Amino acid sequence: MGTSISLLPVLADVLPNLIHLGLYFQPNDEIRFSGDLYPQHQFKNLETLKVGFSPVPGGQPEVVGFLLASLPTQAIAARVCRRWNEVALSHLWKSMDSVFPLLNLLAPLEYFCQFEYHKGDLLKRLGAADWNRFHHYAVHVRTLTHVETDQTSRLDPEAAAAMLFRHPFGSSLLPNLQEVYWTFSHEESTMFALAFMGPELDVLELGLAVSRTAAVDLLKCLAYRTPNLKDLGIGTDLRALHLSDVISSLISSLPNLERLHLPVYYQTEQIVRAIASRPKLKHLMIDWAYRCTYDESSMEPYFSPSFLPNLVTFNITTHVDACVDHLTSKEHCSEIDYLLLHCPTISLASDVKKILAHVVPACDQLSQLALMLYPQSGMGIEYLSFEDLEPLLACRGLEHLEIAGPSFVPPTASQIQQMGRSWPALDILKLCQSPGPKVRLPMGMPVTMLPVFAKAFPEITYLALYLNEDRVQFDGELFPEHQFPKLRAIDLGLSPIPGGGHQNQEVGHYIASLCTDLPALNLGCDTAYPGTISEDVLRREPEWLQVEDAMELAMRTKAAVRKKLARMKAELSIAARS
């Protein structure tokens, strides 16, 4: 007889502070592991787990994954016994958040960071290193993430060369590595990182907060080094003209490329030609993590009619006329599912309507649309209205709509209902929640319009709006007729607080009453926002925190009422049967 492994979450729930646990598992116990390493119930303080002579339940290694999810650290499972060790290690080392633990297997970290002072010591340690032990751990690594900051140690490329020269298991330090996410802040580290990048990589994402010279050298070395790469992401605030040659060469060296992230304004003629030569490319996206300044010379606006006809995701910086010309040729837009149009020179709301009139017939598979209308020259569009979006009402399959830049004129209840009828599957709606810094007098919606959105969009999970300061009268009704049944986040961007900050609790209670479950409250500018947030907006943060606290309190009250009602219903049902 033994304990079912499925009872571990129950033990974690009722005895969360256990330090030592000993169990014997049922030999034929089978369970399917969902892959969730952060379940609701986990042991908080467990230090040792003893399973005696227990077999691995069901003889299935994935069952150990279920156990790992219940433990505070995966290292505990690795120490259970020899039979459990190998499976636990594969989970523990599968995804690394830093390269440092790997280096520490060979020598103290400072030897790799200060090579000129510790050269002799490092060479001696590498010569005597237990490479079998290093390789034993290294083969488990599938994903490597390394984020450098000003406080992160600088890695010396000469130390990497010394390490590779003495590595006895071939040219790849991590032979099964599939994904690398490396953000560079130190120029020296760019060459060091090459030691971990080889032909086995599927995904490579680089953040280059380094000099032009360091970025060029790294990108040059990557060409033909990772020929099997399917997903490439490059983020930097360097001008496209400085990196155009090396990026186009890198793209041209990747015959299997399927996904490509590039910074905004990285559309030189060279880069566009290289992109067009990748027949397997399906997803072309803009990376907004790094803000490049407006650069007309790096913005090739016209794409040939035969440009990647099988694109599914198309993010482009363009002018109005170029955009219309491209969308006129339906044959190379018919597969597009996600279209992002970044139009920094657009100046008239009527141009938005003109673009949308071409989007709908050209992209008949479209389910996601984003319009980034923050101006980079002149005043741009200050206000956008429901009438400007009318051509989009014909896009019945729309699931994600995002508009950023201008201020959106508050729609009427009937207009919101019309949008809901036109887009019945809409899941995400972001409607100008962060009006650009050049919008002089943003127009906001009253918070009392939220029930209208709840009624119109029952499938919505993410709603972003800009509110005004109109007061709200909360009548205490926590279960109104119209609620958001699936809302997971409400993004109020740069909105002022309804009621001017004088009724924060009421605002929080009112928003919570409209939600079935507590949504996250997101604030601040969106990813494409140009410039900095004003001091007035920053000063609202403490008051918005009060709104968030009130939302949590109201939601706890709703949950308690639901439980009580369910209990009363059960009691009435029993009484009726008796």
Side-chain angles (χ1 to χ4, degrees):
M1 299 290 288
T3 303
S4 171
I5 193 171
S6 60
L7 289 177
L8 280 174
V10 180
L11 286 172
D13 182 25
V14 298
L15 299 170
N17 297 315
L18 270 181
I19 298 175
H20 307 288
L21 177 61
L23 294 171
Y24 182 86
F25 290 115
Q26 294 175 2
N28 298 317
D29 197 15
E30 293 189 7
I31 188 166
R32 297 189 65 84
F33 174 51
S34 67
D36 184 8
L37 290 177
Y38 301 95
Q40 181 180 3
H41 303 301
Q42 300 182 56
F43 294 107
K44 298 178 181 178
N45 302 312
L46 195 65
E47 295 178 1
T48 58
L49 172 65
K50 293 184 178 181
V51 297
F53 294 99
S54 295
V56 174
Q60 301 170 343
E62 60 267 24
V63 176
V64 178
F66 182 82
L67 173 67
L68 291 174
S70 302
L71 301 178
T73 68
Q74 297 175 13
I76 291 175
R79 297 196 298 268
V80 169
C81 69
R82 184 173 298 176
R83 284 175 296 169
W84 293 66
N85 176 270
E86 190 64 27
V87 178
L89 282 180
S90 68
H91 285 270
L92 183 62
W93 287 83
K94 184 177 181 180
S95 181
M96 301 295 297
D97 292 331
S98 170
V99 75
F100 294 152
L102 290 162
L103 301 179
N104 278 324
L105 292 172
L106 301 172
L109 185 59
E110 59 265 25
Y111 289 7
F112 294 95
C113 301
Q114 301 173 14
F115 182 71
E116 60 178 311
Y117 301 111
H118 298 286
K119 180 177 180 179
D121 293 330
L122 179 59
L123 296 180
K124 187 183 299 183
R125 292 292 291 266
L126 291 176
D130 186 348
W131 286 103
N132 287 320
R133 178 170 175 259
F134 177 86
H135 186 68
H136 178 69
Y137 290 108
V139 294
H140 294 294
V141 181
R142 299 294 187 274
T143 302
L144 176 61
T145 302
H146 191 79
V147 179
E148 296 179 356
T149 64
D150 293 338
Q151 288 73 41
T152 307
S153 300
R154 299 168 183 263
L155 295 166
D156 194 310
E158 291 189 43
M163 181 171 55
L164 280 172
F165 183 73
R166 287 161 179 79
H167 182 244
F169 295 98
S171 59
S172 296
L173 290 173
L174 305 176
N176 298 315
L177 187 65
Q178 297 171 350
E179 301 178 14
V180 171
Y181 306 88
W182 201 305
T183 301
F184 296 96
S185 294
H186 308 310
E187 297 185 13
E188 303 90 337
S189 300
T190 53
M191 293 296 102
F192 190 98
L194 288 173
F196 299 94
M197 300 178 190
E200 66 282 349
L201 277 186
D202 287 332
V203 179
L204 177 60
E205 292 194 8
L206 305 172
L208 301 174
V210 293
S211 69
R212 169 185 172 184
T213 302
V216 167
D217 288 345
L218 173 62
L219 296 171
K220 272 185 179 178
C221 292
L222 285 173
Y224 301 102
R225 189 184 185 90
T226 56
N228 296 314
L229 209 63
K230 296 179 181 178
D231 190 332
L232 173 64
I234 298 174
T236 182
D237 54 10
L238 295 169
R239 290 187 64 194
L241 291 176
H242 296 155
L243 300 181
S244 183
D245 288 345
V246 288
I247 286 182
S248 58
S249 296
L250 175 57
I251 293 171
S252 298
S253 72
L254 304 173
N256 299 314
L257 192 64
E258 298 176 3
R259 302 174 67 91
L260 178 62
H261 291 77
L262 290 176
V264 64
Y265 301 119
Y266 265 60
Q267 290 174 202
T268 64
E269 185 177 352
Q270 269 184 311
I271 291 175
V272 170
R273 195 183 309 120
I275 293 172
S277 70
R278 300 301 86 196
K280 295 183 180 180
L281 193 69
K282 297 284 188 182
H283 306 277
L284 177 59
M285 291 161 282
I286 292 176
D287 187 324
W288 298 97
Y290 293 80
R291 304 298 176 84
C292 297
T293 56
Y294 178 70
D295 189 352
E296 179 74 25
S297 62
S298 299
M299 184 176 146
E300 175 67 25
Y302 289 94
F303 293 82
S304 67
S306 59
F307 179 81
L308 295 171
N310 297 318
L311 271 182
V312 175
T313 301
F314 189 27
N315 294 186
I316 181 177
T317 299
T318 184
H319 302 295
V320 175
D321 292 339
C323 180
V324 170
D325 287 348
H326 186 77
L327 293 169
T328 301
S329 302
K330 181 179 178 179
E331 64 272 11
H332 64 274
C333 298
S334 60
E335 298 298 319
I336 293 177
D337 173 75
Y338 173 32
L339 178 65
L340 183 148
L341 299 174
H342 175 226
C343 304
T345 58
I346 198 166
S347 58
L348 299 172
S350 58
D351 287 335
V352 175
K353 192 169 186 177
K354 180 180 178 182
I355 289 173
L356 293 178
H358 286 79
V359 164
V360 175
C363 308
D364 51 13
Q365 301 296 318
L366 192 69
S367 70
Q368 301 179 66
L369 175 65
L371 300 176
M372 298 296 163
L373 307 177
Y374 290 112
Q376 297 295 335
S377 59
M379 286 302 297
I381 302 174
E382 278 201 85
Y383 302 103
L384 205 63
S385 68
F386 169 81
E387 287 75 15
D388 301 315
L389 302 184
E390 279 185 317
L392 197 58
L393 296 177
C395 189
R396 300 283 298 174
L398 201 63
E399 298 175 4
H400 178 158
L401 175 61
E402 178 177 2
I403 303 174
S407 176
F408 198 80
V409 177
T412 64
S414 61
Q415 289 171 338
I416 295 171
Q417 292 293 346
Q418 189 176 352
M419 288 190 285
R421 289 191 297 271
S422 300
W423 309 321
L426 197 72
D427 177 51
I428 297 173
L429 177 61
K430 300 181 180 181
L431 212 52
C432 303
Q433 75 274 20
S434 308
K438 292 185 179 180
V439 177
R440 289 165 293 186
L441 294 172
M443 299 178 69
M445 303 182 196
V447 70
T448 51
M449 292 298 285
L450 286 178
V452 183
F453 281 94
K455 180 181 179 181
F457 300 105
E459 299 298 318
I460 203 160
T461 62
Y462 194 106
L463 178 63
L465 302 170
Y466 185 85
L467 302 181
N468 62 24
E469 291 187 285
D470 288 0
R471 296 180 64 86
V472 60
Q473 296 295 328
F474 178 55
D475 59 5
E477 175 57 73
L478 288 176
F479 299 93
E481 180 182 0
H482 301 299
Q483 299 183 51
F484 293 102
K486 299 182 179 181
L487 193 67
R488 296 292 173 265
I490 182 166
D491 186 343
L492 300 180
L494 305 180
S495 299
I497 300 179
H502 301 298
Q503 49 171 187
N504 299 338
Q505 284 193 338
E506 281 189 80
V507 173
H509 294 161
Y510 181 72
I511 294 175
S513 73
L514 300 171
C515 306
T516 303
D517 298 299
L518 181 66
L521 178 60
N522 297 339
L523 303 167
C525 58
D526 58 51
T527 52
Y529 188 86
T532 56
I533 301 177
S534 69
E535 290 294 327
D536 288 342
V537 172
L538 292 174
R539 279 194 288 268
R540 298 173 191 158
E541 184 176 358
E543 295 179 329
W544 275 119
L545 291 176
Q546 293 176 13
V547 172
E548 190 172 28
D549 289 343
M551 288 173 60
E552 292 178 3
L553 177 61
M555 197 56 69
R556 286 199 299 270
T557 304
K558 287 184 73 168
V561 171
R562 283 198 198 103
K563 286 183 179 179
K564 185 173 182 180
L565 290 174
R567 189 164 58 247
M568 291 173 62
K569 183 178 179 181
E571 291 172 353
L572 289 172
S573 177
I574 293 171
R577 287 199 299 270
S578 61

